[in-house]
Amino acid sequence: MKQYSLNEKIIVLKAKKSPLFIRVVMFFFAFTSFLIPLVATIMSIAIGKGLQIGYFIGLFLFGLIGFRLLKIALWNTYGKETIIWNSSTLKYEANFGWFKDQTKTIKLNNIDFFINKIGYAEEKIGTLVIGDENKKIESAIKIPTVQIEELIVKLKEIEQTGV
């Protein structure tokens, strides 16, 4: 299965989905992190103990934990990266399905494409790196190096022909 698609000067890299059980567990803990402190606060007020500052601290801390878990769960379910380039600029955006990360834009003098090999040698995986000698954007998605090499050949052809 290809983890990328290429349309003119738009590259879309897709994260490999985690097993369903793992994703269900991550979503469960993410939503539980939001719900437990909220329900505890409502129950405490209903019992008559009143509203205390500790409830806000708990809501905030568990909200951060829940948001981080939700972001990881969404990335492992819907994660994809979009890279758009032309002769002088490169735009990068991570998409989590329910929301998108901030778009990063860099200006380039000379665009080049590389593989950053990661993991063990026998795994043969890496990430796509696009940039010049000063600035670069590296993908967070791990892709088999064979697919990255194939993509780089196509990207260099597009860059040379100026399509």
Side-chain angles (χ1 to χ4, degrees):
M1 177 187 109
K2 278 189 184 178
Q3 283 185 263
Y4 73 88
S5 64
L6 179 62
N7 184 6
E8 294 179 11
K9 291 196 171 192
I10 300 172
I11 309 163
V12 178
L13 304 171
K14 295 180 182 173
K16 197 180 267 188
K17 286 186 177 184
S18 297
L20 181 61
F21 175 75
I22 301 297
R23 288 184 283 147
V24 167
V25 168
M26 285 192 292
F27 278 113
F28 172 77
F29 282 114
F31 289 117
T32 302
S33 295
F34 288 116
L35 288 177
I36 287 178
L38 186 63
V39 169
T41 302
I42 293 169
M43 293 289 289
S44 177
I45 293 170
I47 291 172
K49 291 187 177 181
L51 193 59
Q52 300 172 5
I53 189 73
Y55 297 132
F56 292 109
I57 294 170
L59 286 168
F60 177 74
L61 292 177
F62 277 91
L64 287 177
I65 292 168
F67 180 73
R68 181 68 180 150
L69 288 172
L70 180 63
K71 192 174 177 182
I72 292 169
L74 287 171
W75 182 257
N76 285 304
T77 305
Y78 304 112
K80 68 179 180 179
E81 297 174 326
T82 305
I83 303 169
I84 304 169
W85 90 94
N86 60 35
S87 59
S88 62
T89 61
L90 187 64
K91 289 183 182 181
Y92 169 87
E93 180 180 79
N95 187 336
F96 292 83
W98 291 359
F99 59 92
K100 295 179 181 180
D101 226 357
Q102 181 179 354
T103 301
K104 298 175 188 172
T105 304
I106 60 173
K107 295 194 183 293
L108 300 171
N109 296 328
N110 232 351
I111 193 165
D112 204 1
F113 310 97
F114 308 95
I115 298 175
N116 180 23
K117 294 182 180 178
I118 54 176
Y120 296 108
E122 59 270 3
E123 289 179 328
K124 298 180 181 175
I125 57 172
T127 58
L128 177 66
V129 181
I130 303 175
D132 62 14
E133 57 276 349
N134 298 325
K135 299 175 188 173
K136 64 182 177 180
I137 288 181
E138 183 172 348
S139 169
I141 296 177
K142 299 172 188 171
I143 302 174
T145 54
V146 173
Q147 287 186 29
I148 298 175
E149 290 167 354
E150 177 183 301
L151 177 61
I152 287 175
V153 169
K154 292 178 183 178
L155 293 172
K156 287 185 178 182
E157 286 175 6
I158 290 172
E159 186 65 23
Q160 288 174 352
T161 59
V163 173

